[in-house]
Amino acid sequence: MSEIDVQLPDGSTRTLPDGATARDLAAAVGARLAKDALAAEVNGELTDLSRTLRHGDVVAIVTPSSDAGRDVLRHSTAHVLAQAVTRLWPGAHFAIGPAIENGFYYDFELPGGQHFTDDDLARIDAEMRAIIAEDQPFTRSEHSVDEGLEIFQNQPFKVEIIRAVAEGANDDVDLGEVSGSVVSTYANSASFVDLCRGPHVPATSRLGHFKLTRVAGAYWRGDEKRPQLQRVYGTAWESATALEAHLTQLREAEKRDHRKLATELDLLSFPSELGGGLAVWHPRGGIVRKEMEDFSRARHVEGGYQFVVTPHLTNARLYETSGHLDFYRDGMYPPMELDNGTYYMKPMNCPMHCLIFRSRSRSYRELPLRLFELGTVYRYERAGTLHGLLRIRGFTQDDSHIYCTEEQLQEEIASLLEFVMNVLRAFGFNDFTANLSTKDPKKYVGSDEIWEKSTAALRLALERFGLRYQEKKGDAAFYGPKIDIDVRDAIGRTWQLSTIQCDFNHPERFDLEYVGADNQRHRPIMLHRALFGSIERFFGVLLEHYAGNLPTWLSPEQVRVLGVRDDHDAYAEHVAQLLRAPGVRVGVELANEPLGARVRRAKLEKIPYVLVVGDDDVANETVGVNARGSNDPERGVGVSAFRDRLVKEIADHGAPEAN
RNA sequence: GCCUGGGUAGCUCAGUCGGUAGAGCAACGCAUUCGUAAUGCGUAGGUCAGGAGUUCGAAUCUCCUCCCAGGCUCCA
């Protein structure tokens, strides 16, 4: 009998009998690996354990607690979901069911146009667990296109996929199911066969740490013109512990939900009388917002920006000139027809800033001209897309437009990036990544030369700054390349916040010019830059990042003073006045409730410092300091010492030390 | 816009078979005077999202509209 040699990931080789499979390799390495093995990676390609190995193959065994292993588990769980649904709804058509981040989904068309409801999840779950208990093997077979069409003749979505791939389509969705002219299927029982490229776990008993999470409608092929299918989402993991950890993480995220916190902390609300996506800011939210705006304004003054103000309404001609009306009419509030023309609520500030640039002749000596506005805009976001402060219909952008020469472009972008990052850091973010979106070769304005030059400028700025970034080829808007900055929050989620965009379209459409040193007219380059993006959205992200425990400088009430008995109330007020003198926001709650109840209330309001004052404090001009996050109050702190500490913390954008 | 699930007091929620509205917290009043996460008693608070219909009778059943949540699509 002949033998083959295969190479393991650590570089060692192993000799196996000819005809050995990946499963045999796992067994040869060790009993533990044989037990854990789910699939294999052979020469970089994921495959089933039943794959026969050849001499010289480089083989890694895929185990559950790896990214590849979890993907296999999730994909196999999706198949079990499809099998369960076809058992419960005979005649159901199934479309696609991939692994996704943290889980999987599968799309179905139920007979008679039925829909899933939340109650169906429990039934489907029970059926899936029955299938898992049956320990059905996943059996791979390969067929010709014609055989594939025959097997799936009653599954129109599968037929469409097979045809599309046979005709040469190669998008990711199709490739997940079929590869080239080989139609592979996985049967896990005589009655359930699914089109699939694989790989899969050896048998259903390897699955089970999953939870179905929700049902939803989803368009076939992601196209809203095509039929809407019924999607079931689930999460699946390699162990009960990992599943539980994920569910805990979801609950943690829920506790931080900015909509919940905004209500609990009395920051803002969305009165239904206003209509969807429109918020009113309450006094406490107003303080946080004002602090954010004041800080932003101060930084923009330092950064050499000039402040401008533009109206909320405009004649439609403006957006005809800018070209936005054709593209974005559906996203704008409907027009107001007046005697002297048609008016719109403004959905963006850029064209108005261009009018300011154009209001008189401009010299190269004025450039770079940096205009800044906290500009409130209104966009008619589709009803189903609204999401608290993160997707809202009326919001304020911290919007800058910078007009510069080609020669200034590099320097301007570099300093912009630094400016943006410094401000984000001041708000407590310190983990950033960026995306660089480059030209869509099919749709763009401006010369190739200027695209290359500005893309290079963006790239150089990113590299000079040492920012990790991904290049998204073809992802730029038609008018210019851009950098988007993502921040990672306290529980690891990423949010896209700031953006720096080049714009070759507005200067053209508004015929912007400056007179150069050569006494010739030149077209400036325009840069768009939003730092918060929208104040509302940034505020929502901040709330979630801090779980409502805003740093002291942003807290609506920074200190609350409580007297132990009501004969301490006068001293409590005295302490409050001393702290208010340097501008600290201090509240006093009089002693007509037990101290414990008042401390509790202040803690629930997430106030950074609760000061308790009693007989000792009145005698010694001291306070008892109970910091947020602490269970251990500090007694007998001198009032002025506390005040100095607090003033410094506010200036440093710090927060109470938790212990 | 589409799919699914919702909307009951300021907040969180209960409300059975269709029989006419309930709790806790918050608010207000009185008492309590207390050293660090819930003092007691009392009072008030509702167009059951809005409208139409079915019914002797609707929070409850039907339809329409608005709003919210989770997805899909979209996001200048």
Side-chain angles (χ1 to χ4, degrees), chain A residues 279-466:
Chain A
V280 292
W281 292 68
H282 303 188
R284 293 177 96 83
I287 289 171
V288 186
R289 181 173 176 144
K290 179 176 177 296
E291 287 289 344
M292 292 168 63
E293 292 180 355
D294 288 351
F295 180 73
S296 168
R297 285 198 180 93
R299 284 296 174 98
H300 281 87
V301 170
E302 292 166 18
Y305 288 79
Q306 305 187 56
F307 288 44
V308 298
V309 177
T310 62
H312 292 207
L313 271 175
T314 170
N315 193 296
R317 280 197 306 270
L318 180 68
Y319 293 114
E320 284 160 10
T321 303
S322 71
H324 287 103
L325 212 46
D326 289 342
F327 280 108
Y328 300 113
R329 196 185 305 265
D330 291 347
M332 292 164 68
Y333 272 85
M336 288 160 266
E337 304 292 350
L338 302 173
D339 294 348
N340 58 348
T342 303
Y343 284 75
Y344 283 96
M345 302 298 292
K346 80 168 161 184
M348 53 174 15
N349 307 301
C350 338
M352 298 197 184
H353 290 186
C354 288
L355 295 181
I356 293 170
F357 183 93
R358 206 176 65 175
S359 63
R360 62 173 168 79
S361 55
R362 297 285 174 182
S363 154
Y364 72 98
R365 295 179 211 268
E366 294 180 76
L367 305 186
L369 180 72
R370 306 185 183 97
L371 303 182
F372 172 74
E373 177 175 18
L374 290 172
T376 302
V377 297
Y378 297 89
R379 297 181 181 176
Y380 192 72
E381 302 286 0
R382 296 166 86 179
T385 63
L386 298 173
H387 183 90
L389 289 169
L390 302 181
R391 192 80 180 268
I392 193 171
R393 285 184 174 147
F395 58 96
T396 301
Q397 297 178 307
D398 59 331
D399 209 2
S400 280
H401 296 98
I402 297 156
Y403 303 88
C404 66
T405 68
E406 256 185 71
E407 294 70 40
Q408 292 166 333
L409 184 63
Q410 177 67 64
E411 190 45 46
E412 194 58 26
I413 288 173
S415 70
L416 259 182
L417 188 60
E418 183 160 357
F419 181 81
V420 167
M421 303 283 284
N422 283 341
V423 174
L424 291 176
R425 286 205 182 90
F427 280 92
F429 294 109
N430 41 40
D431 189 350
F432 307 102
T433 51
N435 290 309
L436 172 64
S437 299
T438 61
K439 189 171 73 180
D440 178 349
K442 291 196 287 277
K443 207 181 164 204
Y444 66 99
V445 299
S447 68
D448 288 344
E449 186 199 350
I450 190 64
W451 272 87
E452 273 159 37
K453 185 161 184 179
S454 53
T455 305
L458 292 169
R459 190 181 290 116
L460 187 65
L462 286 167
E463 275 161 13
R464 205 197 284 177
F465 215 81

Side-chain angles (χ1 to χ4, degrees), chain A residues 18 31 41 125 163 173 281 363 394 435 537 560 582 603 633 659:
Chain A
D18 192 17
E41 192 181 318
D125 182 279
R163 290 226 165 96
V173 175
W281 292 68
S363 154
N435 290 309
R537 182 178 148 83
R560 181 168 300 171
K603 292 285 184 182
N659 61 0

Side-chain angles (χ1 to χ4, degrees), chain A residues 240-256:
Chain A
T241 316
L243 173 62
E244 193 44 51
H246 176 66
L247 297 176
T248 303
Q249 158 91 8
L250 290 182
R251 282 190 292 271
E252 183 56 33
E254 205 173 318
K255 270 190 265 172
R256 292 169 173 259

Side-chain angles (χ1 to χ4, degrees), chain A residues 34-97:
Chain A
K35 185 165 164 287
D36 283 351
L38 284 184
E41 192 181 318
V42 178
N43 306 326
E45 182 197 347
L46 276 177
T47 175
D48 296 320
L49 281 178
S50 57
R51 158 94 161 235
T52 305
L53 301 178
R54 285 181 305 188
H55 184 72
D57 280 347
V58 179
V59 188
I61 301 298
V62 173
T63 56
S65 44
S66 66
D67 288 346
R70 280 185 284 263
D71 274 357
V72 172
L73 281 174
R74 288 165 184 162
H75 192 181
S76 296
T77 308
H79 275 229
V80 171
L81 165 61
Q83 186 179 3
V85 168
T86 52
R87 278 188 184 182
L88 294 168
W89 283 268
H93 295 147
F94 44 110
I96 57 166

Side-chain angles (χ1 to χ4, degrees), chain A residues 2 63 104 116 149 160 171 175 184 199 206 249 330 347 496 505 544 586 592 619:
Chain A
S2 59
T63 56
F104 59 91
F116 290 124
L149 292 173
E160 186 176 330
D171 62 76
L175 289 176
S184 54
R206 302 298 300 274
Q249 158 91 8
D330 291 347
Q496 195 211 303
N505 186 50
E544 301 218 358
V586 188
N592 46 22

Side-chain angles (χ1 to χ4, degrees), chain A residues 1 212 238 260 263 301 304 320 378 428 454 461 519 600 621-622:
Chain A
M1 178 160 117
L212 299 183
E238 69 273 20
K260 190 169 175 283
T263 303
V301 170
E320 284 160 10
Y378 297 89
S454 53
N519 199 29
R600 178 171 192 270
E621 189 82 355
T622 58

